[in-house]
Amino acid sequence: DGAVAVFCAVGGVEPQSDTVWRQSDKYHVPKIAFINKMDRTGADFYSVLNSIEKDLGANAIPLEIPIGSESKFRGVVDLIEMKAYIYDEESLGKEFSVEDIPQELLEQALKYRHIMVERAVALDEKLMKKFLEQEDSITQGELYQAIRQGTLANKMIPVTCGASFKNKGVQKLLDTIVAFL
């Protein structure tokens, strides 16, 4: 079993979110979080990410950061691959291109990748040692395995984002479900 907790990028963690979250904790259901509606006015990925951590007490691990928000939401930066996924407006997000990370987001992507890697390897002593010796030596395969083990053990919550109405980020969410649940 597994669950995808969907949070509004504007409303964030709401009382009913808290209730369902506690229920899933009680029954040890592993979870992935999806911050939806990144294209709406007032969308704030980072505020919702912080709210998931503080209000729900989750060890949230961002796997993506958004490229833009509100009407300027264009795609996501995959922090494992360190690539940008830009969604095509005309195809309603069904078509996308994989590109280099936009220069203006590179510093932020590196910051959140460091957070992701640090949290992912924290539960594996061997990987933590490797990380402390040389952070860049952690492979994508090792990250996937560490995040999957942490997710299934209910010790971390992978976080993705998108705008499901326009099909932006939905493919990446499905890939996340397959990879980590």
Side-chain angles (χ1 to χ4, degrees), residues 23 41 62 80 87 91 106 108 112 123 137 153 162 165 168:
Q23 191 79 350
T41 302
I80 295 176
Y87 296 96
S91 70
L106 189 56
Q108 193 165 21
Y112 279 91
L123 301 174
S137 65
F165 183 70
K168 294 179 179 178

Side-chain angles (χ1 to χ4, degrees), residues 23-131:
Q23 191 79 350
S24 68
D25 280 347
K26 178 181 177 182
Y27 292 103
H28 309 289
V29 177
K31 297 171 283 300
I32 290 173
F34 180 71
I35 300 174
N36 193 24
K37 301 180 184 177
M38 285 300 305
D39 58 344
R40 287 199 34 210
T41 302
D44 187 346
F45 172 83
Y46 302 100
S47 174
V48 178
L49 179 65
N50 287 334
S51 186
I52 291 169
E53 290 175 339
K54 288 187 173 94
D55 297 344
L56 301 175
N59 180 18
I61 298 191
L63 301 182
E64 303 170 347
I65 59 170
I67 300 173
S69 66
E70 301 181 345
S71 63
K72 294 181 178 152
F73 178 68
R74 302 178 327 137
V76 298
V77 173
D78 183 311
L79 297 174
I80 295 176
E81 297 175 11
M82 288 303 281
K83 290 289 182 184
Y85 284 72
I86 308 295
Y87 296 96
D88 177 49
E89 288 290 328
E90 290 182 24
S91 70
L92 293 175
K94 291 178 187 166
E95 304 288 326
F96 60 89
S97 60
V98 181
E99 303 175 7
D100 289 333
I101 299 170
Q103 195 61 37
E104 67 273 10
L105 280 176
L106 189 56
E107 187 176 320
Q108 193 165 21
L110 289 169
K111 172 187 170 187
Y112 279 91
R113 177 181 168 80
H114 176 80
I115 291 168
M116 176 200 62
V117 173
E118 188 175 54
R119 290 182 182 178
V121 302
L123 301 174
D124 184 319
E125 193 174 311
K126 188 172 100 179
L127 278 181
M128 179 56 94
K129 182 178 179 190
K130 186 175 179 182
F131 171 77

